[in-house]
Amino acid sequence: GWCPLSPTGGQTTQLLVEPPWRPAVLWDPVTLTCQGSGTTGATTWYKDGQRWGQEGGSSFTVTESGTYTCQTDRPGTGLSPSMRVSDDQVVLPVPARALLEGDTVTLRCRY
């Protein structure tokens, strides 16, 4: 049988955030890690769609709000999904997902 490729089928780069809130918030120390398939020697970071000055490290602690993506030097891995880091006073459901009536959630609020 024939199976079409999905548009994201070749995307193997992940952008991990610690702590795992979405959107990430700067009132926690936010660390982003770019994880590609296999070992990688260099990582290119993008902030708000522009190439950004952090290169060579796969992890860093964010100090500015914005939308971050990354790309490893491994061929064919592509750009990671984006990660928004906010400086707002926000309330977040944890884990971040669609909520249904009756779900138990933990709310985080800056005050």
Side-chain angles (χ1 to χ4, degrees):
W2 177 80
C3 180
L5 287 175
S6 71
T8 57
Q11 182 176 278
T12 57
T13 305
Q14 297 180 53
L15 187 52
L16 309 178
V17 61
E18 182 62 35
W21 323 134
R22 282 176 168 65
V25 283
L26 286 179
W27 36 279
D28 280 322
V30 176
T31 300
L32 296 182
T33 300
C34 193
Q35 193 173 76
S37 141
T39 56
T40 180
T43 301
T44 303
W45 291 94
Y46 300 86
K47 179 179 179 288
D48 299 327
Q50 302 294 317
R51 190 175 175 137
W52 195 54
Q54 293 271 347
E55 191 168 344
S58 61
S59 294
F60 75 98
T61 300
V62 178
T63 57
E64 299 176 12
S65 60
T67 300
Y68 294 84
T69 55
C70 70
Q71 185 169 25
T72 68
D73 67 352
R74 190 168 179 86
T77 52
L79 279 172
S80 72
S82 62
M83 177 68 62
R84 185 166 74 87
V85 180
S86 170
D87 196 23
D88 296 334
Q89 295 186 354
V90 292
V91 179
L92 302 173
V94 178
R97 59 182 173 82
L99 299 175
L100 300 175
E101 184 178 353
D103 285 350
T104 300
V105 297
T106 300
L107 297 180
R108 296 167 50 80
C109 182
R110 181 185 189 183
Y111 57 88

